Amino acid sequence: MKIPFKILAFVTLVWATPLFLLAQNAPFGIYLEPLNIPNVGGVQAYAFGQHEGKWLIVGGRLDGLHRRQPWASFDVAGHNISLIVIDPIAKQKWTAPLTSLPVPLQEQLSSTNMEFAQEGDYLYLVGGYGYSPTADDHVTYDKLTAVNVPGVIEAIVNSTPIAGFFRQITDEQFAVTGGHLNKVYDTYYLVGGQRFDGRYNPMNGPSFTQTYTDAIRKFKLTDDGTTLAVTHLPAILDADNLHRRDYNVAPQIMPNGQQGLTAFSGVFQKTVDLPFLNCVNVDSSGYMVNHDFSQYYNHYHCAFLTMYSATENEMH
């Protein structure tokens, strides 16, 4: 099973500077130790939250990379229709089926490639792609769901009802899959991604519609534990440079000490069927495409680790 990237996994190492990113020799070592938890199984393209050392796994696929035959790709049998709690220290696993939740929640929470971010006790889930029995088709969900992580973990571990720990709203701006959701100061950034409706067909047949957001969508979220209120802010649109999905967006401390993000690589370029090699730096003042950076590995979403030295003002 893929380990949540914020805890154990490390794939790429970068160094942030004002105008470019370069691979550097790190002043530290990274060591990985396999962690074997019995009967965990595998999940791909899931969302996760954390509380007091336990992990909450939501959505994703149980069958790995999607099959390429249109009749079998992203089929219902591969949906993760359970919520999973893992204690990596005690090496224990608990599950709860989604069937006790309202249908709109069941559908979104079994989807793949949701965007997600945790703020305090709440895990926010946006979009995601999967088969919707309601629509009788594959859709990208136009939902934002708030999950009370401590509450639902405790309920799953103790086999008590979970329905009271979820709230959901509908908004077309959240119909995105394969992007990233991050918070910079008090603003959420929904970076890249696409809306994909219909059945996947590798030959680009008429079974689906696909629309990249080509954007960084920004919004503020007010949550008092009962009511969710969203205030959308003007989006950043760039069809040439933000035409990206299924990639990595890493939180960064920029050279000026401000919080920001870096969007690494991504698929596919608008005019050619190849991934981007450059990256895009994003902060509260805007964005900058870094054409001096070239990335040749990990063009799809993978595990990563970001580390910052406040003493040296260095981002790794």
Side-chain angles (χ1 to χ4, degrees):
M1 181 174 193
K2 184 175 72 172
I3 302 301
F5 65 78
K6 290 185 179 178
I7 299 181
L8 293 178
F10 175 82
V11 174
T12 57
L13 176 67
V14 295
W15 178 296
T17 66
L19 297 178
F20 56 91
L21 293 167
L22 294 172
Q24 298 285 343
N25 293 322
F28 49 81
I30 298 290
Y31 301 91
L32 299 184
E33 295 183 7
L35 178 62
N36 297 313
I37 302 175
N39 303 313
V40 165
V43 185
Q44 184 209 33
Y46 58 87
F48 71 89
Q50 305 176 64
H51 179 68
E52 293 185 348
K54 292 186 177 69
W55 307 334
L56 173 67
I57 308 297
V58 185
R61 300 285 303 177
L62 303 178
D63 53 357
L65 182 66
H66 61 79
R67 296 171 66 178
R68 293 182 59 80
Q69 302 92 334
W71 54 268
S73 188
F74 296 99
D75 63 2
V76 174
H79 284 189
N80 175 21
I81 56 174
S82 296
L83 298 170
I84 303 169
V85 173
I86 297 171
D87 185 331
I89 304 303
K91 297 186 177 181
Q92 288 184 277
K93 168 192 169 184
W94 302 264
T95 63
L98 296 173
T99 50
S100 64
L101 300 176
V103 170
L105 278 170
Q106 291 184 45
E107 292 189 354
Q108 186 197 14
L109 299 187
S110 63
S111 69
T112 187
N113 273 334
M114 288 179 280
E115 296 82 14
F116 61 97
Q118 184 169 347
E119 178 71 13
D121 288 344
Y122 294 108
L123 175 66
Y124 297 108
L125 306 168
V126 167
Y129 172 78
Y131 178 75
S132 164
T134 300
D136 192 26
D137 202 354
H138 287 72
V139 302
T140 297
Y141 293 99
D142 57 352
K143 310 293 184 187
L144 182 149
T145 295
V147 184
N148 183 322
V149 176
V152 78
I153 284 177
E154 182 179 6
I156 293 171
V157 169
N158 294 314
S159 299
T160 56
I162 62 173
F165 301 108
F166 298 87
R167 292 164 294 140
Q168 187 179 72
I169 60 175
T170 300
D171 189 320
E172 286 292 313
Q173 291 293 306
F174 297 137
V176 180
T177 185
H180 277 267
L181 182 64
N182 297 81
K183 190 177 185 182
V184 178
Y185 297 114
D186 63 348
T187 300
Y188 284 92
Y189 290 68
L190 181 54
V191 185
Q194 64 174 332
R195 179 166 187 164
F196 196 99
D197 293 318
R199 184 176 290 276
Y200 170 80
N201 186 332
M203 303 308 294
N204 291 326
S207 61
F208 65 84
T209 60
Q210 180 183 32
T211 305
Y212 285 73
T213 70
D214 295 336
I216 300 169
R217 295 177 177 173
K218 300 189 294 182
F219 63 94
K220 294 183 184 291
L221 179 62
T222 302
D223 184 0
D224 62 3
T226 302
T227 302
L228 292 168
V230 173
T231 301
H232 291 288
L233 304 175
I236 297 171
L237 301 174
D238 187 334
D240 293 322
N241 294 297
L242 298 177
H243 192 76
R244 306 174 188 233
R245 61 174 171 86
D246 302 338
Y247 64 130
N248 295 299
V249 176
Q252 304 273 9
I253 300 298
M254 296 304 179
N256 62 4
Q258 298 296 301
Q259 294 180 17
L261 310 168
T262 297
F264 292 96
S265 188
V267 295
F268 288 99
Q269 295 182 39
K270 191 174 180 180
T271 58
V272 60
D273 197 20
L274 291 172
F276 286 88
L277 298 184
N278 61 21
C279 66
V280 179
N281 291 324
V282 183
D283 61 22
S284 55
S285 64
Y287 76 109
M288 177 182 293
V289 181
N290 186 350
H291 295 292
D292 294 323
F293 171 85
S294 294
Q295 178 175 337
Y296 295 103
Y297 299 98
N298 300 327
H299 294 295
Y300 282 87
H301 189 191
C302 65
F304 61 84
L305 173 69
T306 61
M307 294 170 48
Y308 174 69
S309 169
T311 303
E312 302 296 330
N313 190 30
E314 291 176 353
M315 189 76 220
H316 300 273

